Amino acid sequence: MHQRRPLQDCRRAIHWQARAAACLIAGLATLAVPSDWAVATEKPKAPVTTAPVADWALGSERAQVTLLEYGSLTCSHCADFNNQVLPKIKATYVDTGRVRYVFRAFPTPPMGLSYPLHSLARCAGPKAYHRVVDAFFQKQKVIFDAAQQGTGAKDAVYSIFTEASGMNAAQADVCLRTQSHADAVNQQAMKGQEMGVQATPTLFFQTAQGVTLLAPPYDVEGVGRALDSALAALTPKPAGKPAKAKAPTKVKPKAKKP
């Protein structure tokens, strides 16, 4: 069971989106560490923005297979996957141009920490997005430890974010006050629920034939086998031996009239 503290005054907001936005900065002050497998406990509502959220993928645009992860930056299993499994998958499949990788936000409790982290990552933009996500996963324990202190997690989060993104603390404040970033996170979470995501991490692979859910455990061998199968299915079968061409029929010349 997740142990959570109340998310201060931002819990008083009526609408889900407004409460999430209000929690962005306030929630960094006093938070509890989530336990193990992260499961969302509150369904997101429709975000204010209706514009589709762009997937900022890693890998070649010509790759015919996409590995899609729904994860939460406050999920310890997601951090394990990011830190221990994903680097090997990237080296074998993404960096070689065979597979694209997409990370989508699926915030899990405590929302007052999860939403700020995901919103900051979106604010970093497409070039720094994956660097920020990776930095938050790599230093997840630092953030959780800071959240248990009287001063809260804000300083630790800002330090990690500014180093990974190249932005400064004042810009981070603006990021967390920009509703569109929270809306983008919310929209990704809604899409995840439509696809059946109930816990994090959840992996899919996508090809021209459709989207397929990968069953856990998400270790290097299991994910690698799934990607190998998806790639093999796309390899065209060798064509049969071509039929031998018939020799051209010789036309006898007509006899000349005497």
Side-chain angles (χ1 to χ4, degrees):
M1 180 179 296
H2 297 290
Q3 298 178 350
R4 293 179 289 166
R5 299 175 186 174
L7 293 181
Q8 304 179 359
D9 292 340
C10 58
R11 281 287 187 185
R12 297 177 184 175
I14 298 174
H15 299 292
W16 191 91
Q17 305 99 313
R19 182 162 71 248
C23 286
L24 288 180
I25 295 179
L28 291 175
T30 308
L31 297 159
V33 178
S35 60
D36 293 332
W37 192 265
V39 180
T41 58
E42 185 175 9
K43 293 183 178 180
K45 307 300 181 182
V48 175
T49 179
T50 56
V53 177
D55 282 328
W56 294 330
L58 293 176
S60 171
E61 293 182 358
R62 291 180 291 182
Q64 294 180 285
V65 176
T66 297
L67 177 64
L68 171 60
E69 176 187 0
Y70 278 94
S72 171
L73 292 170
T74 54
C75 161
S76 61
H77 286 282
C78 299
D80 290 341
F81 177 78
N82 178 85
N83 301 342
Q84 300 171 18
V85 179
L86 191 57
K88 296 177 181 178
I89 297 298
K90 284 180 179 177
T92 304
Y93 298 95
V94 180
D95 295 344
T96 56
R98 295 191 292 163
V99 172
R100 299 193 86 196
Y101 168 71
V102 169
F103 178 86
R104 289 180 184 169
F106 197 85
T108 54
M111 294 299 189
L113 178 58
S114 189
Y115 256 83
L117 296 180
H118 283 290
S119 295
L120 286 170
R122 289 298 304 184
C123 189
K127 292 184 178 179
Y129 176 69
H130 286 278
R131 286 204 307 272
V132 173
V133 168
D134 180 63
F136 283 150
F137 276 139
Q138 294 289 345
K139 298 185 179 180
Q140 188 183 79
K141 186 178 184 302
V142 173
I143 296 171
F144 287 167
D145 288 346
Q148 301 305 302
Q149 306 304 316
T151 54
K154 183 177 179 179
D155 288 345
V157 169
Y158 274 31
S159 175
I160 296 166
F161 172 71
T162 55
E163 182 179 355
S165 67
M167 302 169 72
N168 57 40
Q171 290 171 313
D173 280 337
V174 173
C175 289
L176 293 181
R177 291 188 172 95
T178 303
Q179 181 68 39
S180 60
H181 300 316
D183 286 342
V185 172
N186 190 28
Q187 191 178 122
Q188 287 191 333
M190 287 181 60
K191 181 63 177 178
Q193 287 193 335
E194 291 175 7
M195 296 176 67
V197 177
Q198 296 181 343
T200 55
T202 296
L203 301 183
F204 301 85
F205 67 81
Q206 183 174 4
T207 68
Q209 284 70 44
V211 179
T212 302
L213 172 67
L214 272 68
Y218 297 138
D219 52 23
V220 175
E221 293 76 15
V223 176
R225 281 195 301 269
L227 293 176
D228 287 340
S229 297
L231 289 165
L234 296 173
T235 303
K237 295 180 180 179
K241 295 182 179 180
K244 293 182 178 181
K246 294 182 178 179
T249 303
K250 294 183 179 180
V251 179
K252 295 181 179 180
K254 292 183 180 180
K256 293 182 179 180
K257 293 181 180 180

PDB file of all heavy atoms in Angstrom, residues 1-16:
ATOM      1  N   MET A   1       0.843  -1.194   0.000  1.00  0.00           N
ATOM      2  CA  MET A   1       0.000   0.000   0.000  1.00  0.00           C
ATOM      3  C   MET A   1       0.876   1.241   0.000  1.00  0.00           C
ATOM      4  O   MET A   1       1.883   1.286   0.695  1.00  0.00           O
ATOM      5  CB  MET A   1      -0.927   0.011   1.222  1.00  0.00           C
ATOM      6  CG  MET A   1      -1.838   1.236   1.298  1.00  0.00           C
ATOM      7  SD  MET A   1      -2.938   1.191   2.744  1.00  0.00           S
ATOM      8  CE  MET A   1      -3.928  -0.243   2.359  1.00  0.00           C
ATOM      9  N   HIS A   2       0.476   2.261  -0.756  1.00  0.00           N
ATOM     10  CA  HIS A   2       1.244   3.488  -0.819  1.00  0.00           C
ATOM     11  C   HIS A   2       1.012   4.313   0.435  1.00  0.00           C
ATOM     12  O   HIS A   2      -0.121   4.484   0.883  1.00  0.00           O
ATOM     13  CB  HIS A   2       0.828   4.321  -2.030  1.00  0.00           C
ATOM     14  CG  HIS A   2       1.090   3.629  -3.319  1.00  0.00           C
ATOM     15  ND1 HIS A   2       2.345   3.410  -3.800  1.00  0.00           N
ATOM     16  CD2 HIS A   2       0.229   3.079  -4.218  1.00  0.00           C
ATOM     17  CE1 HIS A   2       2.261   2.763  -4.951  1.00  0.00           C
ATOM     18  NE2 HIS A   2       0.996   2.547  -5.215  1.00  0.00           N
ATOM     19  N   GLN A   3       2.081   4.835   1.004  1.00  0.00           N
ATOM     20  CA  GLN A   3       1.977   5.735   2.138  1.00  0.00           C
ATOM     21  C   GLN A   3       2.130   7.158   1.629  1.00  0.00           C
ATOM     22  O   GLN A   3       3.150   7.522   1.066  1.00  0.00           O
ATOM     23  CB  GLN A   3       3.053   5.428   3.171  1.00  0.00           C
ATOM     24  CG  GLN A   3       2.925   4.025   3.760  1.00  0.00           C
ATOM     25  CD  GLN A   3       4.031   3.739   4.725  1.00  0.00           C
ATOM     26  OE1 GLN A   3       4.997   4.485   4.833  1.00  0.00           O
ATOM     27  NE2 GLN A   3       3.896   2.643   5.461  1.00  0.00           N
ATOM     28  N   ARG A   4       1.088   7.962   1.831  1.00  0.00           N
ATOM     29  CA  ARG A   4       1.109   9.314   1.298  1.00  0.00           C
ATOM     30  C   ARG A   4       0.689  10.312   2.369  1.00  0.00           C
ATOM     31  O   ARG A   4      -0.170  10.026   3.196  1.00  0.00           O
ATOM     32  CB  ARG A   4       0.155   9.443   0.096  1.00  0.00           C
ATOM     33  CG  ARG A   4       0.580   8.654  -1.121  1.00  0.00           C
ATOM     34  CD  ARG A   4      -0.424   8.833  -2.232  1.00  0.00           C
ATOM     35  NE  ARG A   4      -1.664   8.143  -1.904  1.00  0.00           N
ATOM     36  CZ  ARG A   4      -2.809   8.337  -2.538  1.00  0.00           C
ATOM     37  NH1 ARG A   4      -2.889   9.216  -3.507  1.00  0.00           N
ATOM     38  NH2 ARG A   4      -3.895   7.667  -2.202  1.00  0.00           N
ATOM     39  N   ARG A   5       1.262  11.484   2.331  1.00  0.00           N
ATOM     40  CA  ARG A   5       0.836  12.578   3.182  1.00  0.00           C
ATOM     41  C   ARG A   5      -0.121  13.464   2.389  1.00  0.00           C
ATOM     42  O   ARG A   5      -0.079  13.490   1.173  1.00  0.00           O
ATOM     43  CB  ARG A   5       2.045  13.410   3.630  1.00  0.00           C
ATOM     44  CG  ARG A   5       3.067  12.605   4.434  1.00  0.00           C
ATOM     45  CD  ARG A   5       4.266  13.457   4.732  1.00  0.00           C
ATOM     46  NE  ARG A   5       5.311  12.673   5.384  1.00  0.00           N
ATOM     47  CZ  ARG A   5       6.514  13.141   5.648  1.00  0.00           C
ATOM     48  NH1 ARG A   5       6.834  14.371   5.316  1.00  0.00           N
ATOM     49  NH2 ARG A   5       7.411  12.377   6.243  1.00  0.00           N
ATOM     50  N   PRO A   6      -0.975  14.231   3.088  1.00  0.00           N
ATOM     51  CA  PRO A   6      -1.866  15.151   2.374  1.00  0.00           C
ATOM     52  C   PRO A   6      -1.068  16.146   1.538  1.00  0.00           C
ATOM     53  O   PRO A   6       0.002  16.595   1.939  1.00  0.00           O
ATOM     54  CB  PRO A   6      -2.620  15.864   3.509  1.00  0.00           C
ATOM     55  CG  PRO A   6      -2.547  14.914   4.661  1.00  0.00           C
ATOM     56  CD  PRO A   6      -1.206  14.241   4.530  1.00  0.00           C
ATOM     57  N   LEU A   7      -1.606  16.498   0.368  1.00  0.00           N
ATOM     58  CA  LEU A   7      -0.899  17.404  -0.528  1.00  0.00           C
ATOM     59  C   LEU A   7      -1.265  18.854  -0.254  1.00  0.00           C
ATOM     60  O   LEU A   7      -1.620  19.608  -1.145  1.00  0.00           O
ATOM     61  CB  LEU A   7      -1.219  17.040  -1.986  1.00  0.00           C
ATOM     62  CG  LEU A   7      -0.678  15.681  -2.435  1.00  0.00           C
ATOM     63  CD1 LEU A   7      -1.037  15.451  -3.876  1.00  0.00           C
ATOM     64  CD2 LEU A   7       0.818  15.609  -2.239  1.00  0.00           C
ATOM     65  N   GLN A   8      -1.262  19.249   1.000  1.00  0.00           N
ATOM     66  CA  GLN A   8      -1.454  20.631   1.418  1.00  0.00           C
ATOM     67  C   GLN A   8      -2.751  21.218   0.858  1.00  0.00           C
ATOM     68  O   GLN A   8      -3.720  20.523   0.596  1.00  0.00           O
ATOM     69  CB  GLN A   8      -0.235  21.468   1.016  1.00  0.00           C
ATOM     70  CG  GLN A   8       1.056  20.896   1.595  1.00  0.00           C
ATOM     71  CD  GLN A   8       2.269  21.683   1.181  1.00  0.00           C
ATOM     72  OE1 GLN A   8       2.171  22.654   0.455  1.00  0.00           O
ATOM     73  NE2 GLN A   8       3.413  21.278   1.641  1.00  0.00           N
ATOM     74  N   ASP A   9      -2.806  22.544   0.681  1.00  0.00           N
ATOM     75  CA  ASP A   9      -4.037  23.218   0.279  1.00  0.00           C
ATOM     76  C   ASP A   9      -4.470  22.920  -1.141  1.00  0.00           C
ATOM     77  O   ASP A   9      -5.616  23.184  -1.499  1.00  0.00           O
ATOM     78  CB  ASP A   9      -3.866  24.742   0.429  1.00  0.00           C
ATOM     79  CG  ASP A   9      -3.746  25.140   1.888  1.00  0.00           C
ATOM     80  OD1 ASP A   9      -4.158  24.350   2.756  1.00  0.00           O
ATOM     81  OD2 ASP A   9      -3.248  26.243   2.139  1.00  0.00           O
ATOM     82  N   CYS A  10      -3.568  22.401  -1.967  1.00  0.00           N
ATOM     83  CA  CYS A  10      -3.943  22.156  -3.358  1.00  0.00           C
ATOM     84  C   CYS A  10      -4.998  21.069  -3.468  1.00  0.00           C
ATOM     85  O   CYS A  10      -5.671  20.958  -4.482  1.00  0.00           O
ATOM     86  CB  CYS A  10      -2.719  21.776  -4.187  1.00  0.00           C
ATOM     87  SG  CYS A  10      -1.850  20.319  -3.585  1.00  0.00           S
ATOM     88  N   ARG A  11      -5.227  20.282  -2.405  1.00  0.00           N
ATOM     89  CA  ARG A  11      -6.262  19.258  -2.413  1.00  0.00           C
ATOM     90  C   ARG A  11      -7.665  19.881  -2.447  1.00  0.00           C
ATOM     91  O   ARG A  11      -8.646  19.214  -2.730  1.00  0.00           O
ATOM     92  CB  ARG A  11      -6.140  18.370  -1.176  1.00  0.00           C
ATOM     93  CG  ARG A  11      -5.043  17.315  -1.289  1.00  0.00           C
ATOM     94  CD  ARG A  11      -5.447  16.224  -2.243  1.00  0.00           C
ATOM     95  NE  ARG A  11      -4.475  15.144  -2.226  1.00  0.00           N
ATOM     96  CZ  ARG A  11      -4.524  14.114  -3.032  1.00  0.00           C
ATOM     97  NH1 ARG A  11      -5.481  14.008  -3.919  1.00  0.00           N
ATOM     98  NH2 ARG A  11      -3.610  13.171  -2.972  1.00  0.00           N
ATOM     99  N   ARG A  12      -7.768  21.186  -2.125  1.00  0.00           N
ATOM    100  CA  ARG A  12      -9.067  21.817  -2.058  1.00  0.00           C
ATOM    101  C   ARG A  12      -9.618  22.168  -3.436  1.00  0.00           C
ATOM    102  O   ARG A  12     -10.784  22.513  -3.565  1.00  0.00           O
ATOM    103  CB  ARG A  12      -8.981  23.094  -1.215  1.00  0.00           C
ATOM    104  CG  ARG A  12      -8.592  22.811   0.248  1.00  0.00           C
ATOM    105  CD  ARG A  12      -8.441  24.105   1.015  1.00  0.00           C
ATOM    106  NE  ARG A  12      -7.980  23.855   2.381  1.00  0.00           N
ATOM    107  CZ  ARG A  12      -7.676  24.812   3.250  1.00  0.00           C
ATOM    108  NH1 ARG A  12      -7.785  26.076   2.890  1.00  0.00           N
ATOM    109  NH2 ARG A  12      -7.260  24.499   4.455  1.00  0.00           N
ATOM    110  N   ALA A  13      -8.760  22.149  -4.436  1.00  0.00           N
ATOM    111  CA  ALA A  13      -9.221  22.488  -5.783  1.00  0.00           C
ATOM    112  C   ALA A  13     -10.293  21.498  -6.223  1.00  0.00           C
ATOM    113  O   ALA A  13     -10.206  20.306  -5.957  1.00  0.00           O
ATOM    114  CB  ALA A  13      -8.055  22.469  -6.769  1.00  0.00           C
ATOM    115  N   ILE A  14     -11.321  22.007  -6.899  1.00  0.00           N
ATOM    116  CA  ILE A  14     -12.461  21.169  -7.274  1.00  0.00           C
ATOM    117  C   ILE A  14     -12.123  20.271  -8.451  1.00  0.00           C
ATOM    118  O   ILE A  14     -12.322  19.062  -8.412  1.00  0.00           O
ATOM    119  CB  ILE A  14     -13.681  22.037  -7.606  1.00  0.00           C
ATOM    120  CG1 ILE A  14     -14.100  22.830  -6.364  1.00  0.00           C
ATOM    121  CG2 ILE A  14     -14.845  21.180  -8.099  1.00  0.00           C
ATOM    122  CD1 ILE A  14     -15.205  23.820  -6.623  1.00  0.00           C
ATOM    123  N   HIS A  15     -11.611  20.858  -9.534  1.00  0.00           N
ATOM    124  CA  HIS A  15     -11.356  20.098 -10.750  1.00  0.00           C
ATOM    125  C   HIS A  15     -10.004  19.411 -10.681  1.00  0.00           C
ATOM    126  O   HIS A  15      -9.037  19.942 -10.145  1.00  0.00           O
ATOM    127  CB  HIS A  15     -11.424  21.012 -11.972  1.00  0.00           C
ATOM    128  CG  HIS A  15     -12.753  21.661 -12.143  1.00  0.00           C
ATOM    129  ND1 HIS A  15     -13.889  20.948 -12.465  1.00  0.00           N
ATOM    130  CD2 HIS A  15     -13.136  22.949 -12.012  1.00  0.00           C
ATOM    131  CE1 HIS A  15     -14.917  21.779 -12.540  1.00  0.00           C
ATOM    132  NE2 HIS A  15     -14.491  22.990 -12.258  1.00  0.00           N
ATOM    133  N   TRP A  16      -9.931  18.217 -11.277  1.00  0.00           N
ATOM    134  CA  TRP A  16      -8.703  17.428 -11.232  1.00  0.00           C
ATOM    135  C   TRP A  16      -7.529  18.185 -11.819  1.00  0.00           C
ATOM    136  O   TRP A  16      -6.452  18.220 -11.259  1.00  0.00           O
ATOM    137  CB  TRP A  16      -8.933  16.121 -11.998  1.00  0.00           C
ATOM    138  CG  TRP A  16      -7.853  15.119 -11.817  1.00  0.00           C
ATOM    139  CD1 TRP A  16      -7.790  14.153 -10.871  1.00  0.00           C
ATOM    140  CD2 TRP A  16      -6.688  14.963 -12.608  1.00  0.00           C
ATOM    141  NE1 TRP A  16      -6.659  13.407 -11.016  1.00  0.00           N
ATOM    142  CE2 TRP A  16      -5.962  13.876 -12.077  1.00  0.00           C
ATOM    143  CE3 TRP A  16      -6.166  15.631 -13.719  1.00  0.00           C
ATOM    144  CZ2 TRP A  16      -4.770  13.461 -12.625  1.00  0.00           C
ATOM    145  CZ3 TRP A  16      -4.969  15.198 -14.258  1.00  0.00           C
ATOM    146  CH2 TRP A  16      -4.290  14.129 -13.708  1.00  0.00           C
TER     147      TRP A  16
END
